[in-house]
Amino acid sequence: MKKLILVLAIALMACPAWAVLTVDLVEVDSDTVAVHYSGADTANLPRAFALKLTIDGTGEFTAVTATKTGESTASAPGFGIFPARIQISTAGAVTDYGNPLAAADSVGTTDQVLPSKEIVLEFGSLYYGDANAPATEGTLCTIDFTKGSATAIAMEDELTYRGGLVFEDGTQGDVAFNYPIQTEETITPPTVNKTTAAPAVADKVNGGRSETFVASATSSLGHTLEYQFTWGDGVVGSWGAASQTHTYTYSATGNYTVTVQARCAADTAVVSAVSANYVVTREAVKSSNATIYAAWADFGRPNCWAFQRNCRGDADGAGSGLNANKVWVNATDLNVLAAGFGKNVAALKLASYNGIPAICADNDRLGSGLNANKVWVNATDLNKLALYYGKNVAGCPVCTDTTNIWFWTN
């Protein structure tokens, strides 16, 4: 039980000396407090408490639970007599001790039906012999409340109708302090972005490299946060830092939906809502071959490099004819090759035929020359195209390159 810095020492005049009693509220959990007293003098114990509590804002008290009921005994000491609620038969026997909440029809009380913004509590002790007296400290009751916009609970002795805090010798004490309610912590739904270094792009992932994502959320109390990513390929990450990496499993097809949640590192029960979906698409060309991947990325990641028959010279991913007689490498592919033939990198990036990028005619992924002067579409590609030109399906089988290609794009 965490004791908050809420304690007010109550100094009062007693005969023949000063007596000091501390009455405070102790946090049980985020929406429950205990009314606690301590520091009583064994020679002048408290006999009764009458306490008025109010909660500010839109908060409300919802329940009051007594620590004990009935007479104080050596085995169960405490304040279990509740004057406003106790019921005594005509024979003088107690039939119901009730509870600490003052009755709705008792003098001076208002709105004593819970939930309420104000409550009056009454406790008394009844015992025979010093051995059965209440302890010098103890808990009177626990109180549940809803916070809403509340920031404090005020407690004072109820003197107008009930005498407040009364000691064995008849003297009275004062109780008055504010209990600050800890603001309910909230965490904003996280944002998430992909931050893998170039040549990666924001909405693409590749099974051959560690993809990095970063999330961001805010605690209303400024607390440190932890994050958990759901990667979209069936893997849920562990709670950890805002920036995390993941290597994708490529058994699934299509897009991956990444989401993330945040939680308070100190109080892990406080969790944010799930982030908006961050959708990433897997890349067809593997990043494990750095040279081919870098060239593919430099040319804008053309889908044609993963066409099923691109390695045979099919630049457009389409064929003429039907079924087994379809011709995949034809005049269109030859024209695409002609548009890019012999051009260096800068010129090849601009070259196309009928909207088809000329780089699609590079069927061997090899170029002659170096760097910016490399010629990607050259005689080797022309010879490969010629080998399969005009042939039907049987004569132009699909490519078998699983070293550089994750999946086919047509």
Side-chain angles (χ1 to χ4, degrees):
M1 183 181 292
K2 182 177 67 177
K3 189 170 184 180
L4 304 182
I5 306 173
L6 306 168
V7 180
L8 175 72
I10 304 160
L12 51 109
M13 178 68 73
C15 297
W18 285 92
V20 176
L21 184 72
T22 298
V23 181
D24 59 3
L25 296 180
V26 176
E27 181 180 342
V28 177
D29 56 42
S30 63
D31 51 13
T32 304
V33 292
V35 181
H36 186 266
Y37 73 94
S38 61
D41 183 351
T42 55
N44 190 25
L45 292 168
R47 172 64 77 170
F49 293 87
L51 303 170
K52 178 181 177 181
L53 286 82
T54 56
I55 188 169
D56 67 2
T58 58
E60 289 185 312
F61 300 113
T62 58
V64 177
T65 304
T67 300
K68 76 169 268 87
T69 57
E71 296 181 18
S72 180
T73 64
S75 60
F79 293 81
I81 306 300
F82 315 121
R85 299 280 185 170
I86 196 169
Q87 295 181 19
I88 303 174
S89 69
T90 55
V94 176
T95 58
D96 187 358
Y97 284 101
N99 62 67
L101 187 66
D105 58 353
S106 61
V107 175
T109 63
T110 59
D111 198 17
Q112 289 298 284
V113 177
L114 298 176
S116 173
K117 293 187 64 59
E118 177 183 299
I119 53 176
V120 175
L121 305 178
E122 299 181 8
F123 310 89
S125 65
L126 178 63
Y127 63 93
Y128 301 94
D130 291 343
N132 297 317
T136 56
E137 68 174 286
T139 299
L140 301 175
C141 69
T142 58
I143 303 170
D144 295 332
F145 60 93
T146 57
K147 290 181 178 178
S149 63
T151 59
I153 296 173
M155 183 168 70
E156 58 185 318
D157 51 345
E158 204 296 291
L159 288 169
T160 304
Y161 300 100
R162 291 169 178 77
L165 170 60
V166 181
F167 288 85
E168 293 282 7
D169 66 358
T171 57
Q172 293 177 303
D174 292 322
V175 178
F177 71 88
N178 288 328
Y179 164 81
I181 297 172
Q182 182 176 357
T183 304
E184 193 84 50
E185 182 177 18
T186 59
I187 300 173
T188 59
T191 59
V192 58
N193 287 289
K194 181 169 171 286
T195 59
T196 309
V201 291
D203 60 345
K204 305 287 186 182
V205 293
N206 198 293
R209 66 169 176 245
S210 294
E211 302 289 1
T212 303
F213 294 78
V214 64
S216 178
T218 303
S219 161
S220 61
L221 300 181
H223 289 169
T224 299
L225 299 179
E226 297 175 330
Y227 298 86
Q228 184 181 54
F229 289 81
T230 299
W231 299 111
D233 61 353
V235 178
V236 178
S238 300
W239 288 97
S243 179
Q244 297 189 29
T245 60
H246 179 65
T247 302
Y248 272 85
T249 301
Y250 265 50
S251 57
T253 59
N255 298 335
Y256 298 117
T257 299
V258 181
T259 57
V260 64
Q261 278 188 289
R263 73 179 183 185
C264 175
D267 184 357
T268 56
V270 182
V271 181
S272 74
V274 178
S275 69
N277 291 343
Y278 184 84
V279 179
V280 289
T281 304
R282 60 187 190 142
E283 294 179 318
V285 175
K286 294 183 178 182
S287 62
S288 52
N289 187 322
T291 301
I292 290 179
Y293 181 83
W296 179 67
D298 187 46
F299 280 103
R301 294 173 166 80
N303 281 338
C304 59
W305 275 26
F307 286 165
Q308 293 182 79
R309 291 175 173 81
N310 186 255
C311 67
R312 314 297 184 202
D314 175 32
D316 64 352
S320 57
L322 299 174
N323 304 325
N325 292 318
K326 181 174 285 190
V327 174
W328 287 94
V329 181
N330 50 38
T332 300
D333 305 304
L334 180 58
N335 287 328
V336 175
L337 184 142
F341 193 84
K343 288 185 167 61
N344 65 12
V345 172
L348 187 58
K349 287 179 179 179
L350 301 175
S352 66
Y353 170 77
N354 214 19
I356 304 167
I359 187 60
C360 293
D362 171 44
N363 53 60
D364 65 352
R365 309 294 180 260
L366 295 172
S368 57
L370 298 175
N371 303 325
N373 292 318
K374 182 172 284 191
V375 175
W376 287 92
V377 180
N378 51 38
T380 303
D381 303 303
L382 177 60
N383 290 334
K384 182 67 71 68
L385 181 145
L387 182 63
Y388 294 100
Y389 191 86
K391 292 184 178 178
N392 62 12
V393 171
C396 186
V398 298
C399 306
T400 58
D401 181 11
T402 57
T403 301
N404 300 308
I405 303 298
W406 282 117
F407 57 90
W408 308 120
T409 56
N410 73 330

